[in-house]
Amino acid sequence: MRHKTALVTGAASGIGLALATDLSKQGFRVCLTDADEQAVTSAAQSLNGATAEVLALPLDVTNQEHISGAVSRLENEWGGVDVLINNAGIQHVASLEDFPVDRWKLLTEILLVGPALLSRAVLPSMRARNFGRIVNVGSIHSLVASPHKSAYVAAKHGLLGFSKTVALETADCDITINTLCPSYVKTALVQKQISSQALAHGISEDEVINKIMLEPMPKKSFIDMDELCGAMNFLLSDAARNMTGQEMVIDGGWTIR
């Protein structure tokens, strides 16, 4: 029996590595990808002893040749991609007037264009097998805005519109596409934001967490990796076979008021 296969982007650390690890423990063949080849190779080695094969590939999600090469390799070696987790991301915080143009473009390329190109690449083989699950890692910023994050918010909002369109285009077969929308998860990326905002505002990191980041959130808590893994697993399950083009919001009540 063919193992189901999963491709996870931005899998060298943080959310991507947590999701990849969970999939591997379930018996998926997992391809971890990241722009940092050394880091993603190390991450894959940390999964040694898992129940299925693990592969590490360097992947720039803005590069069509990289995408085509990675997907072709998985089709040749593993029979295709059953599950695509679009997780790769970066952040830059600045007012629009001070936002470097090249950085603004790069964020949207990684956060929005990358998922579109990867989804486009895996859809033909998903259609051929009449099965596919695409899970985008969005954000609370797919739904609401924060100052100084214009590129990130624009791209994450765009991800929802993209997903709805693909959901309509794949409604004739057993393919779904959905987006996880967590509020803050304490990853290295978020820790960097905490440190930089503390420096910029002249306040402590605890004050950044409580008075800036978690202020709009009734539960006042970071989202844990097990919550994201559980949400992903539901979206991959047969119970969610008719859930598509949707956002799964894990925000501690942020958006209910």
Side-chain angles (χ1 to χ4, degrees):
M1 180 179 175
R2 174 181 172 272
H3 281 285
K4 281 192 166 57
T5 67
L7 188 161
V8 184
T9 68
S13 62
I15 294 172
L17 180 55
L19 298 180
T21 301
D22 190 80
L23 289 166
S24 182
K25 288 178 178 177
Q26 294 181 59
F28 281 83
R29 285 174 162 173
V30 182
C31 177
L32 290 78
T33 70
D34 199 277
D36 187 333
E37 181 174 5
Q38 183 175 353
V40 77
T41 299
S42 177
Q45 290 171 347
S46 74
L47 300 189
N48 283 340
T51 57
E53 295 176 65
V54 176
L55 175 67
L57 290 179
L59 177 64
D60 175 357
V61 299
T62 71
N63 186 309
Q64 182 63 63
E65 289 186 7
H66 278 208
I67 291 169
S68 298
V71 172
S72 293
R73 179 171 175 180
L74 294 180
E75 288 175 351
N76 292 332
E77 295 185 14
W78 287 355
V81 176
D82 300 292
V83 171
L84 170 63
I85 309 294
N86 285 313
N87 169 73
I90 60 171
Q91 179 62 285
H92 186 87
V93 179
S95 64
L96 183 59
E97 300 99 308
D98 298 324
F99 217 117
V101 172
D102 59 345
R103 200 69 177 168
W104 211 100
K105 290 181 177 179
L106 181 61
L107 258 75
T108 55
E109 285 282 323
I110 292 173
L111 297 172
L112 181 56
V113 178
L117 294 180
L118 276 156
S119 299
R120 179 177 181 271
V122 302
L123 279 173
S125 64
M126 286 182 173
R127 280 191 174 278
R129 293 188 306 279
N130 191 36
F131 181 85
R133 298 290 181 263
I134 300 173
V135 178
N136 303 313
V137 179
S139 164
I140 188 65
H141 288 112
S142 297
L143 303 166
V144 298
S146 291
H148 311 301
K149 296 181 179 179
S150 57
Y152 188 87
V153 171
K156 292 295 188 182
H157 271 64
L159 200 57
L160 299 187
F162 162 73
S163 300
K164 291 176 183 179
T165 302
V166 175
L168 293 175
E169 293 178 1
T170 56
D172 60 330
C173 53
D174 188 13
I175 295 174
T176 66
I177 178 168
N178 294 288
T179 305
L180 297 177
C181 295
S183 48
Y184 288 106
V185 182
K186 206 166 186 182
T187 61
L189 189 68
V190 169
Q191 183 57 53
K192 184 178 179 181
Q193 290 181 57
I194 294 169
S195 301
S196 64
Q197 289 196 47
L199 185 63
H201 295 289
I203 58 178
S204 70
E205 292 191 1
D206 282 344
E207 287 175 302
V208 171
I209 292 170
N210 296 317
K211 295 183 179 180
I212 298 177
M213 285 188 163
L214 300 184
E215 175 61 28
M217 183 186 188
K219 281 190 170 289
K220 309 294 184 192
S221 175
F222 286 102
I223 304 303
D224 289 331
M225 295 299 182
D226 65 318
E227 297 177 74
L228 294 175
C229 290
M232 173 191 70
N233 288 329
F234 172 70
L235 294 176
L236 302 185
S237 73
D238 193 52
R241 63 190 178 275
N242 286 312
M243 183 174 176
T244 190
Q246 303 299 314
E247 55 268 15
M248 184 173 278
V249 183
I250 313 167
D251 70 348
W254 188 320
T255 57
I256 63 175
R257 61 182 185 183

